[in-house]
Amino acid sequence: NAMSVNNDVAKFAVKAANGGMAEVALGKLAEQKATNQKIKEFGRMMVKDHTNANDKLKNLAAEKDISLPTSLSEEDQKHVDDLSKESGKDFDKDNIDLMMKDHKDDINDFEDAVKNFAATTLPILYKHLGAAKALQKSGS
């Protein structure tokens, strides 16, 4: 039904917004603190790509009347705070470990959302196709 689909979309949007904001925050930290140049560049890419994705998400949420979080979740904020106290090789390693974990979680959320959307939408599309087929037959 439409309500649960909208609810799922809202839940997903909030999760995606949280993930995106966390990655921007981690990316900014990497730009500032990483000792490894490649990690600095990776951080820059995170800030650019996730700021872009977050803006698209905000537009979509505004259209659908979904309110998104404006600050990091407690858990993400704690990760950022802990990480900002680190430096050198420890920082580089933990930053990348967190990026790995975050992106794996995000990919799972996105895949689940796509699966759920497909699972609820596909039967409707098949029903429409069947109805169109029947109309085509009766019309010819």
Side-chain angles (χ1 to χ4, degrees):
N1 79 29
M3 265 320 289
S4 70
V5 170
N6 288 343
N7 199 10
D8 287 346
V9 169
K11 264 193 277 193
F12 168 69
V14 167
K15 267 186 172 176
N18 265 324
M21 283 191 299
E23 267 120 41
V24 169
L26 293 172
K28 283 180 178 164
L29 269 183
E31 280 186 289
Q32 293 158 13
K33 298 185 62 126
T35 52
N36 179 323
Q37 191 53 38
K38 284 197 163 71
I39 295 177
K40 275 187 189 289
E41 285 163 19
F42 182 80
R44 197 168 303 126
M45 178 176 74
M46 288 305 96
V47 173
K48 183 172 152 289
D49 291 351
H50 283 286
T51 299
N52 203 345
N54 292 351
D55 290 343
K56 285 183 183 152
L57 190 61
K58 277 179 200 151
N59 293 339
L60 185 73
E63 281 171 28
K64 303 268 178 219
D65 238 8
I66 297 168
S67 57
L68 295 179
T70 51
S71 57
L72 291 176
S73 70
E74 254 176 71
E75 187 190 356
D76 286 328
Q77 189 59 59
K78 188 183 177 325
H79 287 157
V80 170
D81 292 343
D82 290 347
L83 202 58
S84 64
K85 293 175 190 135
E86 296 183 7
S87 59
K89 294 253 182 286
D90 286 343
F91 173 85
D92 289 2
K93 184 192 174 303
D94 290 347
N95 182 278
I96 288 299
D97 287 350
L98 257 178
M99 288 287 192
M100 281 290 295
K101 185 195 169 302
D102 249 30
H103 281 85
K104 280 180 179 166
D105 290 348
D106 288 353
I107 287 169
N108 287 337
D109 289 343
F110 272 80
E111 285 179 344
D112 287 348
V114 169
K115 274 187 213 134
N116 290 341
F117 180 74
T120 52
T121 307
L122 210 50
I124 297 165
L125 295 176
Y126 274 118
K127 187 177 88 182
H128 294 170
L129 181 64
K133 226 183 240 168
L135 286 169
Q136 192 182 41
K137 271 196 190 125
S138 67
S140 57

